[in-house]
């Protein structure tokens, strides 16, 4: 018992010593005058970590308004509050902001003062998930790299709202109220460097128009999409990860060679209405087809290259690269057909 007490006291002493050294180091680096100013300008509702002077933590404080933000702040955490409005006043001195997290508040479009976001010239990351937005806020900072607007009530995307966001690499709009009519041919115009687009859990019945050509990851799960247009993926030649789980795709809704796209490495078509495996490309590495209506699998038919030709080329030839195949939740009975294993020699896992 005594040993445990001594051990606890020693641990507490070491932790306190380390914290004291950290604070003292920052204190010494800043100097007495600067340190006094640093502590006094920290909003009383928030926490200003001495070891991270560019960050301001105001999360989980029950705030209804945003406090004045000091000029030195780059990273601002305001999630899990009751904030309803975004006005210019708290940000007058905060001209160096790079990151704002406003997730889980009560912000509405009418509560966002006109121009307040676009004036944040250096902002790179804007998180506004789980608020009360009904449309994408505009105008936005031109330097944004990530925009997260998931779990709002967004049903409208203002014309040209993304047209100047050339640096945006990730746009998350999942779990909103978007209909096909909200996504026009020019909606995503200007997003020349977009890599990830998430429009899952909306109310789409069609594949969205004019996806930016550089998109690598396209997430469309949990919609009501029935048809893949002919040559749809030729307009997005770099798409690598494609998720279409929980839609209404049938065999008739997929054109011949619709998914036979060399760029696609991960294809997810779970929880649809397919009765057969659609043609795939030899470059595909992961295929999810669980919970469809597939009754049987013919390895010779679905093999993206001729098995005889594959034998001629040998291991180093153009053999299919499929490593993971998921087929559970269908009407397929084990065992796995031998011709599947002959075709897909790199398979590491098959779920059936």
């Amino acid at each position: 018992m005594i040993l445990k007490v001594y051990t606890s006291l020693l641990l507490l002493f070491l932790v306190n010593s380390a914290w004291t050294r950290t604070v003292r180091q920052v204190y010494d680096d800043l100097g007495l005058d600067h340190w006094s100013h640093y502590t006094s300008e920290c909003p009383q509702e928030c926490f200003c970590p001495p070891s991270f002077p560019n960050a301001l933590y105001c999360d989980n404080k029950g705030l209804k308004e945003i406090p004045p933000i000091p000029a030195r702040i780059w990273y601002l955490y305001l999630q899990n509050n009751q904030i309803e409005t975004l006005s210019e006043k708290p940000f007058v001195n905060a001209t160096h902001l790079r990151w704002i997290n406003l997730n889980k508040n009560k912000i509405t479009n009418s509560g966002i003062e006109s121009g307040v976001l676009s004036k944040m010239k250096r902002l790179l990351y804007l998180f506004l998930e789980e608020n009360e937005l009904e449309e994408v806020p505009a105008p936005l900072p031109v330097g944004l790299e990530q925009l997260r607007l998931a779990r709002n009530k967004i049903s409208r995307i203002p014309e040209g709202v993304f047209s100047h966001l050339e640096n945006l690499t990730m746009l998350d709009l999942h779990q909103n109220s978007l209909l096909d009519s909200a996504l026009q041919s020019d909606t995503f115009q200007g997003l020349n460097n977009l890599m990830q687009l998430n429009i899952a859990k909306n109310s789409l019945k069609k594949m969205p128009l004019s996806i930016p050509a550089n998109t690598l990851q396209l997430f469309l799960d949990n919609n009501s999409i029935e048809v893949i247009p002919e040559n749809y993926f030729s307009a997005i030649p770099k798409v690598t990860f494609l998720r279409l789980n929980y839609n209404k795709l049938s065999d008739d809704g997929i054109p011949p060679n619709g998914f036979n796209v060399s760029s696609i490495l991960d294809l997810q078509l779970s929880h649809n209405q397919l009765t057969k495996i659609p043609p795939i490309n030899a470059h595909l590495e992961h295929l999810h087809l669980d919970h469809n209506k597939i009754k049987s699998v013919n390895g010779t038919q679905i093999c993206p290259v001729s098995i005889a030709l594959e034998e001629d080329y040998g291991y180093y030839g153009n053999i299919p690269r499929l490593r993971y195949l998921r087929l559970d939740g269908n009407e397929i009975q084990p065992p796995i057909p031998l011709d599947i294993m002959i075709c897909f020699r790199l398979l590491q896992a098959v779920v059936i």
Side-chain angles (χ1 to χ4, degrees):
M1 179 68 182
I2 295 176
L3 179 59
K4 289 184 179 180
V5 172
Y6 282 144
T7 303
S8 300
L9 288 174
L10 178 60
L11 180 60
L12 181 61
F13 173 76
L14 292 174
V15 170
N16 286 336
S17 297
W19 173 255
T20 302
R21 284 197 301 271
T22 302
V23 174
R24 185 174 296 159
Q25 182 179 0
V26 174
Y27 180 92
D28 292 339
D29 290 343
L30 291 175
L32 182 59
D33 294 336
H34 197 169
W35 176 260
S36 177
H37 175 69
Y38 168 76
T39 54
S40 64
E41 68 174 1
C42 183
Q44 62 179 3
E45 308 95 328
C46 308
F47 172 59
C48 298
S51 59
F52 196 9
N54 295 121
L56 182 60
Y57 291 87
C58 307
D59 52 309
N60 298 287
K61 302 295 185 182
L63 300 179
K64 294 186 177 181
E65 295 182 351
I66 299 174
I69 309 302
R72 70 173 187 278
I73 299 303
W74 288 21
Y75 307 99
L76 177 58
Y77 299 88
L78 288 160
Q79 66 270 28
N80 292 301
N81 282 293
Q82 304 293 319
I83 298 169
E84 298 180 359
T85 60
L86 269 177
S87 61
E88 185 177 347
K89 186 177 179 181
F91 300 102
V92 169
N93 296 318
T95 57
H96 297 279
L97 283 173
R98 304 288 200 276
W99 172 303
I100 298 180
N101 189 333
L102 279 158
N103 292 345
K104 295 185 179 181
N105 278 284
K106 296 183 177 180
I107 298 170
T108 61
N109 287 96
S110 60
I112 301 177
E113 186 176 324
S114 178
V116 63
L117 292 172
S118 62
K119 291 178 181 178
M120 300 178 185
K121 303 296 185 182
R122 301 187 183 185
L123 195 66
L124 302 178
Y125 300 89
L126 177 58
F127 300 170
L128 278 165
E129 298 182 355
E130 292 191 56
N131 278 275
E132 303 291 331
L133 300 174
E134 295 183 355
E135 63 179 53
V136 175
L140 291 163
V142 295
L144 272 186
E145 294 182 4
Q146 287 193 17
L147 178 59
R148 299 175 184 254
L149 298 170
R151 295 181 291 275
N152 276 277
K153 303 175 182 178
I154 296 173
S155 61
R156 181 174 176 272
I157 301 177
E159 183 177 356
V161 67
F162 303 128
S163 60
H164 300 295
L165 304 186
E166 295 186 0
N167 295 326
L168 199 72
T169 59
M170 197 270 270
L171 174 60
D172 191 346
L173 288 163
H174 88 266
Q175 200 168 331
N176 277 285
S177 304
L178 293 171
L179 300 170
D180 296 318
S181 57
L183 305 179
Q184 300 298 315
S185 59
D186 60 350
T187 295
F188 301 112
Q189 185 176 349
L191 299 179
N192 300 327
N193 290 296
L194 194 71
M195 295 186 198
Q196 183 187 112
L197 178 60
N198 191 341
I199 325 178
K201 294 188 177 181
N202 278 279
S203 301
L204 304 181
K205 294 183 178 180
K206 300 177 181 179
M207 295 292 283
L209 300 171
S210 300
I211 299 297
N214 286 318
T215 301
L216 298 176
Q217 300 177 342
L218 179 58
F219 304 147
L220 292 164
D221 315 77
N222 293 88
N223 281 285
S224 299
I225 296 171
E226 299 179 358
V227 176
I228 306 294
E230 190 85 31
N231 300 318
Y232 181 84
F233 298 105
S234 62
I236 43 176
K238 297 181 180 180
V239 63
T240 304
F241 299 92
L242 178 62
R243 293 198 332 218
L244 280 159
N245 304 319
Y246 292 95
N247 276 282
K248 297 182 179 180
L249 289 171
S250 63
D251 301 328
D252 294 336
I254 300 175
N257 295 312
F259 294 119
N260 188 359
V261 180
S262 61
S263 65
I264 298 178
L265 302 182
D266 191 303
L267 176 60
Q268 300 190 20
L269 298 168
S270 304
H271 294 271
N272 278 279
Q273 300 171 12
L274 303 174
T275 64
K276 60 184 180 182
I277 298 178
I280 59 175
N281 193 271
H283 290 89
L284 187 67
E285 295 182 3
H286 295 84
L287 178 59
H288 298 246
L289 284 165
D290 56 286
H291 298 90
N292 277 275
K293 300 179 180 180
I294 301 170
K295 294 183 179 181
S296 63
V297 181
N298 187 315
T300 303
Q301 291 180 355
I302 69 171
C303 192
V305 300
S306 167
I307 291 180
L309 187 62
E310 188 179 337
E311 291 287 346
D312 292 338
Y313 279 121
Y315 186 84
Y316 295 103
N318 187 30
I319 67 171
R321 300 179 187 175
L322 194 67
R323 289 172 167 79
Y324 180 89
L325 175 61
R326 185 170 177 183
L327 291 166
D328 57 304
N330 285 283
E331 301 175 31
I332 304 168
Q333 298 298 321
I336 300 166
L338 180 60
D339 51 4
I340 290 282
M341 308 309 296
I342 293 174
C343 172
F344 301 106
R345 300 184 190 181
L346 302 181
L347 264 177
Q348 297 175 354
V350 180
V351 185
I352 194 169

